[in-house]
Amino acid sequence: MSPLKAKSNHVTIVDVATTSGFSPSTVSIVLNEAPLSRYVAAKTKERIRKAAKDLGYRPDAFARSLRNRRSHTVGVLIFDISDPFCTLILQGIERCLDSTAYLPIIMDAHNEKKQFEGYLEMLMERRVEGLIVVANWLFEEGGLLLNLRRNNLPTVVVGRDLSTDLISSVVVDNVAGGYTAMEHLYSLGHRKIAVIRGPEKLGDSNLRWQGIQQFAAEHNYQLDPRRVRLLPEALDPTSGFEGGVAATEDLLRSAADFTALLAFDDLTALGAIRALILSGRSVPGDCSVIGFDDVPPAAFCTPGLTTIRQPMEEMGRIATGWVLRAVQGPDTEDAILPPMQILSPQLLIRESTSRV
Amino acid sequence: MSPLKAKSNHVTIVDVATTSGFSPSTVSIVLNEAPLSRYVAAKTKERIRKAAKDLGYRPDAFARSLRNRRSHTVGVLIFDISDPFCTLILQGIERCLDSTAYLPIIMDAHNEKKQFEGYLEMLMERRVEGLIVVANWLFEEGGLLLNLRRNNLPTVVVGRDLSTDLISSVVVDNVAGGYTAMEHLYSLGHRKIAVIRGPEKLGDSNLRWQGIQQFAAEHNYQLDPRRVRLLPEALDPTSGFEGGVAATEDLLRSAADFTALLAFDDLTALGAIRALILSGRSVPGDCSVIGFDDVPPAAFCTPGLTTIRQPMEEMGRIATGWVLRAVQGPDTEDAILPPMQILSPQLLIRESTSRV
DNA sequence: TTGTAAGCGTTATCAT
DNA sequence: ATGATAACGCTTACAA
């Protein structure tokens, strides 16, 4: 016989009722430990529980939800599960949900807008009570927002500021991050700093650049345009690596030399390191490199990558906390729910940066 | 007003029926494009569809599944979503499911047996039609199996051989992988090869070691025990990194020198490289290093890690294909479903290995 | 302290 | 070519 085969023959609450000799309602009340179960005789409870266990009774989530109008689920829409950035946020969401009766329904849009919409529809059909959207670096603002608005459902976007009157968001302070990265390099004595900016269309990209410029302005440091490159638009989140390699090679070919490189994100930084090493330079000996995010590979490489850490797990937790509050509290003080939270990034010094 | 707030007021099939002027049954038939819809007048269809669209009707998945006894979902039980090994398999599963009407319900056990069992129960309550278990490196055989047996549900385990009469599995050929890794190093001229084995309790670990020994025996190569280390048992899948660092440092302290190192997996290899570099050695100049798995960080580090690649996405696809077949085909030729499939690993040469 | 009955939104079966 | 009705398994008023 093949190992794969099944014939479902489920035990229902009626079976438990007849076996135990009580009515379905009593069984329901006992098994759910509903308020009314306080008035049920201890012996009755015992017999019911025994019958349920013996029969291997498992309540049908569909029937239950259909009846009481609660799905006890929150939808989690992500854009690419292979993106470590997503993964860590997911962990935060799951950890936060673990202690509740809520279940995440995770859907991965595979970086395709079409899928995003389809999955959103599926989540609605499954009557999720709240929605968390993990926006990765190619979530283009605007378009998808419209579809979200129609379903008035507690919604939190994490990783991108898309707050509206109906949607909350939790993001990292990209401006502060850019500022801090620049500050770190500058304070190590670097005065010839190359910058690889993120794709122009990307919101994060410009905010980080803003922070970089701000630091420069405050310290009378001239950002030489010859030392600045722009990552091309791209779909694949790991394309930052190749982008980093290419941008750095281009930088190396140019006339302007540099002793430090500030990359848009970790993958870009890792690509930069690859190019630097291949060109015969050492990191951080000949050139310091700093990234942004603190995705796992940043810690596993040698030298370990100095980076601006986003508290991704915490972001997931916060987002989850919000939707839970919106979902559980009936309509209590809505005002306590902030439309947007900006978390501080943190400088994480490893081995890829050093004094000039 | 706070952005988080909702008041669900769902449109039902009855609403569509009254608005369009037809009965719920006809609406159902039309909207589902059921066989009977062949006999429904074109104009009727049109009016019904228009009404549904205008009202924003969305069928209730709970009611539907309750009625027709099909959840159209498959449960996916993973052990750690932050483990890149898991992630890639998940991608395969999702991609394979995308083209079907099935939805994955993903649950992450966070490396805890307790959670595993709880989530398994939840999946059963949600009436998943099939189950895929992604076993990562700490899925201890035996224990959890028992719970799986009771629910006779098409089940496939990927990443660990747990085949029984009720469970299929898809795994990589670990013996061949170990053999190939050894062969690669040997063919580059290495004769002083250090080996960091995986935790003893881990099935994979011993199979890979078997392959290594087999190659050695066939080529009259002596595996010097002084050049062999064992990774400690551990919970965290990323602990391989620290384990690799520690084992390598220990190896370096010992009398026996080596020109190549074969690591249990990629993270271990990355840890080994870290230790090697810190000790002043270069990779692959002074020591070649080979890993196993081909997780993303292996490609982003410099030097890129030579490794034995597991076709993880394909494994996910195959597993999914099996449960789909078991689920969709009523009870057609069960015999075509193999109880276990062993995929060949592939040597992926990057820059961390070179001729001695 | 427990039972009865209605109904959640759908779809399958049977009528018309 | 379309409609009426029952039933999926559960919870919750309300009744006893």
Side-chain angles (χ1 to χ4, degrees), chain B residues 84-264:
Chain B
F85 178 78
C86 264
T87 297
L88 291 171
I89 292 172
L90 264 184
Q91 278 219 104
I93 295 173
E94 288 173 345
R95 290 259 157 72
C96 184
L97 246 27
D98 271 353
S99 54
T100 73
Y102 280 79
L103 213 59
I105 306 279
I106 302 165
M107 320 243 69
D108 179 359
H110 297 124
N111 296 321
E112 285 171 48
K113 193 168 174 170
K114 195 83 184 294
Q115 294 268 12
F116 178 89
E117 297 176 352
Y119 282 143
L120 180 53
E121 197 61 23
M122 282 184 158
L123 289 174
M124 298 303 298
E125 290 181 1
R126 274 172 206 275
R127 302 296 188 252
V128 293
E129 297 179 32
L131 184 64
I132 300 174
V133 178
V134 180
N136 79 347
W137 83 332
L138 66 118
F139 186 95
E140 15 158 347
E141 351 260 326
L144 304 174
L145 236 158
L146 298 169
N147 294 287
L148 282 177
R149 290 191 62 97
R150 291 193 6 194
N151 325 298
N152 64 331
L153 183 78
T155 299
V156 180
V157 176
V158 14
R160 181 84 67 260
D161 174 17
L162 294 179
S163 316
T164 70
D165 50 331
L166 291 168
I167 299 172
S168 296
S169 31
V170 25
V171 295
V172 78
D173 189 337
N174 281 298
V175 177
Y179 187 99
T180 306
M182 193 66 189
E183 183 177 42
H184 174 62
L185 262 18
Y186 189 89
S187 73
L188 286 173
H190 293 281
R191 292 299 180 273
K192 294 176 177 177
I193 302 174
V195 177
I196 301 180
R197 298 176 54 186
E200 201 153 21
K201 274 195 194 156
L202 199 60
D204 291 359
S205 182
N206 298 313
L207 293 172
R208 292 178 195 177
W209 177 237
Q210 232 177 275
I212 292 167
Q213 287 178 304
Q214 190 181 322
F215 179 90
E218 287 176 13
H219 296 76
N220 274 323
Y221 174 80
Q222 288 295 337
L223 281 160
D224 188 335
R226 292 173 309 161
R227 295 201 183 94
V228 177
R229 292 294 180 281
L230 217 59
L231 243 30
E233 312 293 332
L235 288 178
D236 183 358
T238 68
S239 67
F241 184 78
E242 287 91 43
V245 172
T248 306
E249 284 171 344
D250 192 48
L251 241 13
L252 288 170
R253 270 192 299 273
S254 87
D257 60 334
F258 52 95
T259 64
L261 190 154
L262 192 165
F264 170 63

Side-chain angles (χ1 to χ4, degrees), chain B residues 32-44:
Chain B
N32 291 312
E33 308 192 42
L36 279 143
S37 69
R38 291 181 57 79
Y39 307 118
V40 175
K43 208 177 282 180
T44 304

Side-chain angles (χ1 to χ4, degrees), chain B residues 304-322:
Chain B
L305 187 67
T306 292
T307 192
I308 302 294
R309 174 168 217 279
Q310 295 204 45
M312 295 176 276
E313 183 162 340
E314 193 187 349
M315 288 161 83
R317 285 195 140 95
I318 290 175
T320 309
W322 288 357

Side-chain angles (χ1 to χ4, degrees), chain A residues 130-133 148 151 153-157 166-169 323, chain B residues 3-4:
Chain A
L131 185 63
I132 299 174
V133 178
L148 282 176
N151 325 298
L153 181 79
T155 300
V156 181
V157 176
L166 292 168
I167 299 173
S168 296
S169 31
V323 335
Chain B
L4 292 181

Side-chain angles (χ1 to χ4, degrees), chain A residues 39-60:
Chain A
Y39 308 117
V40 175
K43 207 177 284 179
T44 304
K45 288 187 188 171
E46 201 183 318
R47 268 164 51 198
I48 288 178
R49 283 202 252 265
K50 183 174 186 324
K53 194 171 181 192
D54 290 349
L55 294 175
Y57 170 66
R58 245 192 300 251
D60 183 317

Side-chain angles (χ1 to χ4, degrees), chain A residues 13-14 16-30 44 48:
Chain A
I13 203 172
V14 179
V16 179
T18 53
T19 312
S20 65
F22 294 93
S23 76
S25 21
T26 308
V27 174
S28 173
I29 287 163
V30 170
T44 304
I48 288 178

Side-chain angles (χ1 to χ4, degrees), chain B residues 59-81:
Chain B
D60 184 316
F62 293 118
R64 201 211 282 279
S65 292
L66 175 59
R67 176 60 234 227
N68 67 11
R69 320 288 319 151
R70 307 219 64 178
S71 68
H72 275 283
T73 57
V74 333
V76 180
L77 219 25
I78 66 180
F79 270 87
D80 188 345
I81 202 167

Side-chain angles (χ1 to χ4, degrees), chain A residues 176-339:
Chain A
Y179 187 100
T180 307
M182 193 65 188
E183 184 177 42
H184 174 62
L185 261 18
Y186 189 89
S187 73
L188 285 174
H190 294 281
R191 293 298 180 272
K192 294 176 177 175
I193 303 175
V195 177
I196 301 179
R197 298 176 56 185
E200 202 153 20
K201 274 196 196 156
L202 200 59
D204 291 358
S205 181
N206 298 311
L207 293 171
R208 292 178 195 175
W209 177 238
Q210 233 178 276
I212 292 167
Q213 287 178 302
Q214 190 181 322
F215 179 90
E218 287 177 14
H219 295 77
N220 273 324
Y221 173 81
Q222 289 293 338
L223 281 159
D224 188 334
R226 292 173 308 161
R227 294 201 183 94
V228 177
R229 292 293 180 281
L230 216 59
L231 242 32
E233 312 294 331
L235 288 177
D236 182 358
T238 67
S239 67
F241 184 78
E242 287 91 41
V245 172
T248 306
E249 284 172 344
D250 192 47
L251 241 13
L252 288 170
R253 269 193 299 272
S254 87
D257 59 336
F258 52 96
T259 64
L261 189 154
L262 192 165
F264 169 63
D265 67 4
D266 288 345
L267 250 29
T268 308
L270 261 14
I273 291 178
R274 168 69 54 91
L276 255 8
I277 302 272
L278 286 184
S279 81
R281 266 153 265 236
S282 82
V283 176
D286 299 319
C287 180
S288 287
V289 176
I290 187 169
F292 203 113
D293 282 351
D294 191 29
V295 292
F300 297 137
C301 286
T302 304
L305 186 68
T306 292
T307 192
I308 302 294
R309 174 169 218 279
Q310 295 203 46
M312 294 174 276
E313 183 161 341
E314 194 187 349
M315 289 162 81
R317 283 195 142 94
I318 291 175
T320 310
W322 287 359
V323 335
L324 282 178
R325 231 166 297 142
V327 152
Q328 293 179 321
D331 267 72
T332 62
E333 291 318 300
D334 285 3
I336 60 168
L337 300 171

